[in-house]
Amino acid sequence: MVNYELHPEEVVLYENDVTCKAYKGNLQMTLTSQKIVFEKEKGLFKKERELIDIILLENVKFYNDTAQIKQKGSEVEVQTVDKNLTIAFSGMLEARKFTGKMINAVTGTTLAKRGSNMIKDAFTMVDDTLGLDTRGAIKGVLENGVKGTIINGIGKKK
């Protein structure tokens, strides 16, 4: 990045050449831990980069605790407070790589952590709905076996 300087706490997560319907021509896109930076190469002989736009990650919209970043094939749609962007990549794998890094940066978590939280939330919902101690039941099955758990019963939630 020539025209944009990183802040001391900012890290580059992803760089690639893309196209975007909001801006004409090929763009150099850089995803940092705080922003998406779009730049365009200018000049025929002496190549220079011109800053086109900067999108702050804190402006990405959320709905039901889900960042509004959707991948459709080789395109990724990002909804922000200011505008909706459709970014086209060279292939589906590049789009998936960008989407994963973008969601990690926006939410501040990794895919494994989000998956773990979803499972914890599901257990809590089942416990609250049925009044059972699901974690205790699974622990009992692992410690006592299926036969011992059936004989001793599944404990009620305390």
Side-chain angles (χ1 to χ4, degrees):
M1 290 188 306
V2 176
N3 292 324
Y4 176 74
E5 290 192 29
L6 295 174
H7 295 280
E9 69 281 352
E10 196 171 11
V11 179
V12 173
L13 303 174
Y14 182 84
E15 285 185 309
N16 203 347
D17 291 327
V18 298
T19 58
C20 185
K21 293 179 182 177
Y23 317 110
K24 293 181 180 177
N26 293 331
L27 303 168
Q28 172 69 32
M29 182 193 66
T30 304
L31 172 66
T32 72
S33 55
Q34 298 175 357
K35 315 176 164 97
I36 303 174
V37 180
F38 291 102
E39 296 176 310
K40 192 175 204 173
E41 251 185 23
K42 288 281 188 179
L44 194 57
F45 297 109
K46 186 178 179 186
K47 302 285 183 181
E48 292 181 3
R49 287 193 199 174
E50 175 188 7
L51 184 63
I52 302 296
D53 199 4
I54 295 176
I55 308 293
L56 298 176
L57 296 186
E58 63 192 33
N59 290 340
V60 173
K61 289 183 182 178
F62 278 81
Y63 179 72
N64 286 340
D65 296 327
T66 304
Q68 295 304 297
I69 303 164
K70 308 250 190 285
Q71 179 189 348
K72 295 175 188 166
S74 62
E75 293 186 341
V76 176
E77 183 180 316
V78 179
Q79 293 183 26
T80 67
V81 176
D82 302 325
K83 58 184 125 187
N84 295 342
L85 297 173
T86 302
I87 305 167
F89 291 82
S90 59
M92 195 166 33
L93 292 175
E94 283 300 316
R96 180 167 292 153
K97 190 186 305 183
F98 168 76
T99 302
K101 291 189 184 273
M102 175 87 170
I103 291 173
N104 288 351
V106 169
T107 61
T109 61
T110 63
L111 179 62
K113 184 78 169 169
R114 288 191 304 274
S116 171
N117 288 340
M118 283 185 1
I119 291 170
K120 286 179 187 176
D121 292 344
F123 274 122
T124 303
M125 188 185 324
V126 169
D127 288 351
D128 291 344
T129 304
L130 300 177
L132 295 175
D133 182 13
T134 310
R135 291 174 187 87
I138 293 171
K139 181 180 175 190
V141 169
L142 293 175
E143 289 177 351
N144 305 327
V146 176
K147 182 179 173 187
T149 303
I150 292 172
I151 292 171
N152 296 334
I154 297 173
K156 291 285 185 188
K157 187 175 177 184
K158 297 174 183 170

